[in-house]
Amino acid sequence: FNILTTAQSGVADSVRLPVASTGSVLFVMNQGVGTANVFPATSGTINGGSANAGVKINPLAARLFIGHTTLNWASLNGAV
C-alpha cells in the first residue's frame, strides 16, 4: 500500500514499481493535487504496453497493480 501525498500541480512526480512477480499486488494512491506517473521496473511493462512506459494516476485516484509475469504488471484504476 503506497500513498503519494506530494504530487504537485504542474510537476511530473513519479514512482517506479519493483520487479513484478506473479501474483504480487501493489496499491498506489495519489492524494496530491497533481497527476503522478507510475513506471514499471526497467524493461517491464504495465498492461502489456511498451517497455518502460508509465501510467498516470490523477489526483485523488488510485491504481491497483497485480504482477502478471516477472516483467508485466496488470493495472486497474479508480477514484478514491
Side-chain angles (χ1 to χ4, degrees):
F1 191 88
N2 299 282
I3 299 174
L4 305 174
T5 59
T6 59
Q8 300 175 27
S9 181
V11 177
D13 287 330
S14 62
V15 295
R16 183 171 301 277
L17 297 173
V19 172
S21 61
T22 304
S24 59
V25 176
L26 290 174
F27 180 80
V28 181
M29 182 186 322
N30 179 6
Q31 291 186 332
V33 296
T35 300
N37 297 307
V38 179
F39 293 93
T42 303
S43 300
T45 64
I46 298 174
N47 293 333
S50 299
N52 303 315
V55 295
K56 295 181 183 215
I57 302 179
N58 291 323
L60 303 178
R63 277 190 180 262
L64 181 67
F65 295 90
I66 302 166
H68 181 59
T69 67
T70 56
L71 289 176
N72 186 39
W73 288 97
S75 173
L76 305 168
N77 64 326
V80 176

